[in-house]
Amino acid sequence: MTFHVLTIFPEFFRGPFEHGVVARAIEAGLLTIRVHDLRDWTHDRHRTVDDRPFGGGEGMLLKAGPVFDAVESVWPERSEQQRVVLLSAQGRRFDQATARRLAELKELFLICGRYEGVDERVASHLADEELSIGDYVLSGGELAAAVVVDCVARLLPGVLGNEDSAIRESFGEDGLLDCPQYTRPADFRGWMVPETLLNGNHEEIRKWRKAAALEKTRRNRPDLLQ
Ligand code: 4FV
């Protein structure tokens, strides 16, 4: 899978993708990340990418022109296997089900907002979908793009070795949070690991984990049970 990321801060992405499973997957050729500098699609001496909002108001907005030119120059045509996603605080919520859907694509183009946002004509006439990683306001879409890349990359075939499986984890098929997990020592400061997990009775362990996942979901995310 190839990820394209459009940003005014290309150097931002030097850090996040040089560690762990994503870095290993890139080395293994399982995915490619191409970062594009939005200013490469400006034509004025100041390489202007922003302007004031019509109707007044604080701050600046990313102009539509350079964004359209960037996407259309990287993808003159667009197939069903190629989707453009605008990351913004006004998007639909990004979640694991969305990640599973995006992981089926051949290519994903992520547009990172900055300033107060992006001219609405990008959302309405260029992007296939607008996604938000959460109900809070970031200073830019770069962190959100890094979240989407990391989350989708983990779901690509061959990216996760067996040491870090996506089989049983939060927001899996059952939509529950993952169950509590423990590792050595069994006794840490007098806090013991639940007996069931130490007895090796796999059926008992499976039942305990199911109940514990339900209990933790009910406590931390009752909305998931609706
Ligand atoms: C955001 C989010 C987000 C809004 C203005 C960047 C900021 C600035 N993106 N999920 N939440 N974006 O807050 O994706 O342009």
Side-chain angles (χ1 to χ4, degrees):
M1 181 168 182
T2 298
F3 297 86
H4 296 272
V5 181
L6 184 62
T7 171
I8 63 171
F9 296 128
E11 64 289 346
F12 176 97
F13 291 94
R14 255 203 282 292
F17 303 140
E18 285 170 10
H19 313 281
V21 292
V22 175
R24 278 206 304 278
I26 292 168
E27 273 139 42
L30 296 170
L31 68 96
T32 307
I33 301 174
R34 294 191 45 208
V35 179
H36 306 279
D37 183 345
L38 181 60
R39 295 188 192 282
D40 293 349
W41 286 274
T42 60
H43 314 293
D44 65 309
R45 191 151 62 76
H46 301 297
R47 309 187 87 202
T48 305
V49 294
D50 63 321
D51 203 338
R52 294 192 316 287
F54 278 116
E58 291 317 304
M60 303 291 271
L61 292 177
L62 281 183
K63 294 162 64 69
V67 179
F68 274 74
D69 294 351
V71 173
E72 291 165 354
S73 75
V74 175
W75 287 351
E77 303 303 311
R78 210 186 298 179
S79 78
E80 274 315 297
Q81 282 292 304
Q82 299 170 304
R83 283 183 80 73
V84 175
V85 168
L86 170 64
L87 284 310
S88 95
Q90 298 119 314
R92 274 204 305 276
R93 175 62 71 82
F94 174 70
D95 59 10
Q96 196 68 12
T98 307
R100 285 195 286 267
R101 172 169 57 82
L102 297 178
E104 301 304 316
L105 295 171
K106 207 163 80 39
E107 296 194 81
L108 182 59
F109 202 117
L110 301 172
I111 300 170
C112 303
R114 271 281 158 178
Y115 309 105
E116 300 320 302
V118 184
D119 184 294
E120 186 63 21
R121 289 166 285 195
V122 169
S124 37
H125 301 296
L126 181 66
D128 296 299
E129 52 193 296
E130 195 173 357
L131 292 177
S132 167
I133 63 166
D135 296 350
Y136 38 78
V137 180
L138 303 167
S139 57
E142 285 76 12
L143 282 171
V147 164
V148 171
V149 169
D150 186 279
C151 188
V152 172
R154 300 175 73 255
L155 301 175
L156 300 176
V159 170
L160 285 188
N162 56 17
E163 78 278 2
D164 32 43
S165 112
I167 308 304
R168 203 206 54 247
E169 59 184 15
S170 292
F171 316 111
E173 299 312 324
D174 63 9
L176 294 180
L177 296 182
D178 196 5
C179 63
Q181 305 237 41
Y182 302 83
T183 187
R184 288 179 297 189
D187 174 344
F188 176 69
R189 296 185 181 179
W191 300 310
M192 300 304 296
V193 169
E195 204 52 42
T196 310
L197 298 179
L198 304 175
N199 297 347
N201 175 325
H202 294 297
E203 183 46 25
E204 283 308 311
I205 290 169
R206 192 191 60 71
K207 281 201 300 234
W208 180 91
R209 284 178 166 165
K210 184 77 179 159
L214 203 51
E215 197 273 329
K216 185 145 193 177
T217 305
R218 188 174 290 112
R219 192 171 63 242
N220 291 349
R221 292 293 307 278
D223 57 299
L224 293 174
L225 298 175
Q226 249 77 38

